[in-house]
Amino acid sequence: MTTFENPHLIYAPIAGRAELARLIAAAGGISITESVNMANFGSKDLQETGESKKNYMSPSGMPLLQHGDLKVSQSGAIEAYMASIAPRYKDLTQQQRAVDMMFMGIKEEILQNCAKAIFTTQKEDKNKAVEDVCALFDKWGAVFEDQIPTEGFIQGLPYPTPADLALLNITTAGYMPFGSARKLAQYDFGKWEKVT
């Protein structure tokens, strides 16, 4: 069995459900290693090692994370763990961590709906997929525009926390699925001044 001194992320060479964990590691001061392999999608075992994904509490999905003896699945758990061990975020209060978790959850909700529009709805009715994406981005864009500060970071700190990184992930950082959904709907986040 391979163990990793640094957190080891297992995903694919796309943004998807692992990009926020990558951003948290980079901004939070964590050096990670990563295995990226499209063949791991839908497979019950890791292609590189033959290890069962069940060891990570996953029947077949990703992302997965190994850090020492810890093996976990689910993007939210991985993001929360990365934020909890990041040197930059060690002094965040429980309230600040709750705000970060809220934005991480919003990111996941938007991600799931973007993926549904791209991979399912579009196959049946492209116009409906476009409508769904526009309605989704308009709904959350209005909330973000109302709640985030005009200047500076969401938590009012001199550096970004996972809340800021989640918003970055949604609006600019990752093509799949957010950028793909934006492209499908020809959606411009520029209409939300504080979001961009």
Side-chain angles (χ1 to χ4, degrees):
M1 174 178 78
T2 303
T3 59
F4 295 93
E5 182 177 327
N6 292 336
H8 184 74
L9 187 64
I10 302 163
Y11 197 57
I14 61 172
R17 295 180 67 221
E19 191 65 13
L20 183 53
R22 293 176 182 124
L23 291 170
I24 291 168
I30 302 171
S31 178
I32 66 171
T33 57
E34 190 168 357
S35 296
V36 292
N37 187 342
M38 285 300 286
N40 282 324
F41 268 118
S43 170
K44 293 180 180 180
D45 300 320
L46 296 174
Q47 301 303 303
E48 296 81 2
T49 64
E51 181 182 20
S52 173
K53 289 182 182 178
K54 289 181 182 178
N55 294 342
Y56 296 81
M57 289 297 293
S58 176
S60 65
M62 293 191 301
L64 308 172
L65 180 78
Q66 181 178 352
H67 189 199
D69 293 336
L70 175 69
K71 293 182 178 184
V72 294
S73 63
Q74 300 298 321
S75 54
I78 293 168
E79 293 158 3
Y81 177 73
M82 297 293 265
S84 75
I85 65 168
R88 172 166 266 172
Y89 304 134
K90 67 180 174 48
D91 295 326
L92 292 181
T93 67
Q94 292 303 312
Q95 290 83 0
Q96 289 168 321
R97 290 184 188 280
V99 170
D100 286 341
M101 292 288 294
M102 176 179 64
F103 274 83
M104 288 187 260
I106 292 168
K107 179 272 310 174
E108 195 66 24
E109 179 181 325
I110 295 171
L111 183 148
Q112 290 172 1
N113 283 287
C114 286
K116 179 181 176 188
I118 296 164
F119 297 119
T120 305
T121 309
Q122 179 179 215
K123 291 178 183 175
E124 299 166 7
D125 185 344
K126 184 175 181 177
N127 290 332
K128 173 75 169 127
V130 168
E131 289 172 17
D132 290 352
V133 168
C134 288
L136 175 70
F137 286 155
D138 281 347
K139 174 179 80 171
W140 284 107
V143 171
F144 295 144
E145 190 73 10
D146 186 57
Q147 296 296 313
I148 63 175
T150 303
E151 294 182 7
F153 297 112
I154 292 169
Q155 303 266 25
L157 298 171
Y159 54 85
T161 68
D164 302 283
L165 302 173
L167 188 57
L168 176 70
N169 190 192
I170 295 163
T171 58
T172 61
Y175 182 76
M176 187 56 77
F178 305 111
S180 180
R182 281 192 314 273
K183 182 177 178 180
L184 170 70
Q186 298 180 343
Y187 192 87
D188 182 11
F189 275 107
K191 68 196 232 177
W192 308 108
E193 189 175 315
K194 292 191 311 188
V195 173
T196 57

